[in-house]
Amino acid sequence: MAQSTQYGPEAVFDNLIGGTRVGSEDRCLNRNPSNPADVLGRYARADAATVTEAIRAAGDAAPAWADFGAQQRFAILDRAGSLIAERADELGDLLAREEGKQLAEAKGEVLRAAQIFKFFAGETIRNTGEIVDSVRPGLIAEMTHEPIGVVGIITPWNFPIAIPAWKIAPALAFGNTVVFKPAELVPASAYALTDILTEAGLPEGVFNLVMGPGSVVGDALTTSAKVDALTFTGSVHVGRSVIASAAANQIRVQCEMGGKNPLVVLGDADLEAAADAAINGAFFSTGQRCTASSHLIVTADVHDEFVALLKDKMAGLSVGDARADGVDIGPVVSQTQLDQDLAYIDKARAEGGEITGGTLVESTTGGYFLAPALVTGTKPGDTINVDEVFGPVASVIEVADYDEALAVANDTEFGLSAGIFTTSLKYSAHFKRYAESGMVMVNAPTAGVDYHVSFGGRKGSSYGPREQARAAREFYTVHKTTYTNAG
């Protein structure tokens, strides 16, 4: 089936398997959350047999790609990064239209994807090993890193090009082949990235795209014994099932499963800066980030002043069409997600929280617009402070002092990102050491990390090796030790 070059209700987009476009009778309509009547196209839905064929194609392509020269892999990934950057305006607009991220943020995400591909292009020629003298005379020991094989990649809807990039780029850089399943809400960005990788020169079968629901495509991918490694970002519930499936087949697995990220504000903090960071971390990207500042822990001496600052800044935020001028916050990604956000706001109110904002924003397009919500007067055990809401909703917990703030910050099953605002070297140093999170921010938003540093959490947030940067090699390669008897 010929592929569409324009987006619209009649445009059709197929899976890519072994270099061949593969369609389906059943298709998913991709809708714009700012205007659900705006359909970007009809995207193929793979069945289990199609996924099996994609895994076979990746397996067939794996030996040749593993033997591909490092310079050749460098050139392809570097070219992909350049193509993404060249198309940043187009891809940013597509991402904003598809996922609802405000346009400047959407373009920023696209440029981040370009940087990631460029970084991992360099990693292809930095895959160093180690040579040591053996303790046994005459022997030389070498420790090297080799491709693991076929990598299954499952990504979420909230970062539809950046998260795929930081999984796909290292997988390819270290000589693995890929079967990629994007979230069904955001197939257009995944499809565009697939086109770019093809244009960059990837051999057939090295990269395979299978779109469709997780209950079909995801299950077929995670239960296959022909996949050598699985990397997943998404909900805790699904992540745990991926881990269990991988364990049953003795497959390497890496999962990122969300967060309930605290931002601590102490009495000596720059409150203006802290409030700006809280607004950024809690509400930008419509709060749909696993690193969002979802609960704000504030000492009693500045609690009222800080909350007043937050409310004042919230009043100045504009909510609307993600691609419109002057909009700060776009729509929630779907009606289902919007209903979930509203249910958590209602639950917080029922448990005694005071709600500022959190109301539906009317529009002529019927978009899923929600005013940011701030929940004050909460207790640490309230549902709003325990569950990951994944929307533009933040709660405030008042505490007596730093010691109580740290205890409350650590009292969660998650451990992805944590932040503190303070001018005290003593408290900042202590928090960096004792915050039970994989990432800690001092006087900065909890959301946002560089592309050349590792990403991951502790406790229920993450499972397996870290993502991104040099740490990615630990997941995408296998260690080999060899001995040579020179005598």
Side-chain angles (χ1 to χ4, degrees):
M1 182 179 293
Q3 296 304 290
S4 304
T5 56
Q6 301 296 321
Y7 298 101
E10 301 305 318
V12 293
F13 301 88
D14 293 342
N15 298 303
L16 179 69
I17 299 173
T20 300
R21 298 292 182 180
V22 178
S24 64
E25 291 297 323
D26 182 27
R27 290 184 176 270
C28 170
L29 292 181
N30 186 14
R31 297 184 182 276
N32 176 354
S34 293
N35 179 5
D38 175 27
V39 176
L40 283 76
R42 297 182 293 124
Y43 289 77
R45 280 179 157 177
D47 57 18
T50 304
V51 177
T52 298
E53 182 60 22
I55 296 169
R56 185 201 62 77
D60 289 348
W65 181 244
D67 288 339
F68 232 58
Q71 183 62 43
Q72 292 171 288
R73 291 203 303 273
F74 171 93
I76 291 171
L77 295 182
D78 185 65
R79 176 64 174 148
S82 295
L83 290 170
I84 293 170
E86 289 168 9
R87 295 174 56 184
D89 288 338
E90 169 202 340
L91 293 172
D93 185 78
L94 173 63
L95 196 160
R97 183 179 173 191
E98 172 179 57
E99 191 267 348
K101 192 165 294 181
Q102 184 261 3
L103 192 57
E105 288 185 297
K107 183 177 177 180
E109 179 180 335
V110 171
L111 292 173
R112 173 57 57 89
Q115 292 167 335
I116 290 166
F117 271 95
K118 292 281 189 179
F119 176 86
F120 282 107
E123 290 297 272
T124 64
I125 53 177
R126 289 193 291 263
N127 187 19
T128 57
E130 188 176 2
I131 300 175
V132 298
D133 291 334
S134 172
V135 296
R136 292 172 289 170
L139 290 176
I140 298 173
E142 298 176 66
M143 291 167 283
T144 55
H145 302 263
E146 297 182 353
I148 194 168
V150 176
V151 178
I153 294 176
I154 302 175
T155 59
W157 48 259
N158 61 322
F159 284 88
I161 193 165
I163 292 180
W166 80 46
K167 294 178 185 289
I168 293 166
L172 296 175
F174 295 117
N176 303 288
T177 55
V178 167
V179 179
F180 170 43
K181 181 229 170 304
E184 197 171 22
L185 281 173
V186 288
S189 295
Y191 189 93
L193 182 57
T194 299
D195 268 357
I196 285 172
L197 289 171
T198 300
E199 184 179 346
L202 275 183
E204 293 181 354
V206 171
F207 179 85
N208 304 272
L209 173 69
V210 283
M211 300 178 287
S215 58
V216 177
V217 179
D219 284 357
L221 188 57
T222 59
T223 57
S224 172
K226 300 294 185 182
V227 173
D228 298 297
L230 288 164
T231 176
F232 165 87
T233 298
S235 70
V236 173
H237 172 73
V238 176
R240 287 174 176 167
S241 70
V242 171
I243 293 166
S245 295
N249 288 317
Q250 293 183 298
I251 290 171
R252 184 177 297 194
V253 65
Q254 172 192 70
C255 290
E256 292 295 338
M257 298 173 289
K260 191 67 183 175
N261 310 295
L263 180 66
V264 172
V265 181
L266 300 185
D268 65 347
D270 179 336
L271 293 189
E272 279 285 345
D276 286 338
I279 293 292
N280 178 308
F283 303 133
F284 285 12
S285 296
T286 321
Q288 296 171 156
R289 299 185 282 196
C290 57
T291 54
S293 305
S294 50
H295 63 303
L296 313 174
I297 302 167
V298 188
T299 55
D301 52 345
V302 292
H303 172 273
D304 292 352
E305 182 181 355
F306 182 70
V307 168
L309 270 173
L310 287 178
K311 292 179 179 179
D312 183 61
K313 291 178 183 295
M314 287 172 62
L317 296 174
S318 171
V319 179
D321 189 309
R323 298 189 293 164
D325 292 338
V327 166
D328 299 302
I329 298 172
V332 175
V333 72
S334 68
Q335 183 65 55
T336 298
Q337 191 65 36
L338 177 61
D339 291 342
Q340 176 177 297
D341 294 348
L342 291 170
Y344 273 114
I345 292 169
D346 288 343
K347 181 72 170 178
R349 183 181 290 108
E351 291 182 354
E354 179 183 323
I355 314 297
T356 300
T359 56
L360 294 174
V361 178
E362 294 185 5
S363 73
T364 59
T365 61
Y368 311 125
F369 301 115
L370 178 65
L374 185 69
V375 188
T376 53
T378 73
K379 302 177 295 298
D382 290 351
T383 302
I384 198 69
N385 292 320
V386 174
D387 292 357
E388 183 180 31
V389 178
F390 221 70
V393 182
S395 55
V396 181
I397 302 172
E398 182 177 347
V399 294
D401 52 24
Y402 170 77
D403 290 337
E404 186 181 1
L406 178 64
V408 171
N410 287 336
D411 186 19
T412 171
E413 67 176 284
F414 296 105
L416 183 56
S417 182
I420 187 169
F421 266 79
T422 178
T423 56
S424 166
L425 179 61
K426 171 187 173 181
Y427 289 135
S428 63
H430 191 273
F431 191 80
K432 286 193 290 183
R433 170 62 181 86
Y434 291 101
E436 296 172 358
S437 295
M439 299 178 290
V440 177
M441 315 296 185
V442 176
N443 297 328
T446 60
V449 295
D450 296 334
Y451 64 87
H452 66 304
V453 302
S454 61
F455 180 96
R458 296 167 60 174
K459 299 190 284 190
S461 287
S462 302
Y463 184 91
R466 287 290 190 262
E467 295 197 276
Q468 291 199 136
R470 303 302 298 272
R473 188 172 71 164
E474 296 305 308
F475 179 74
Y476 292 101
T477 66
V478 290
H479 291 247
K480 176 180 281 186
T481 302
T482 61
Y483 287 94
T484 302
N485 187 336

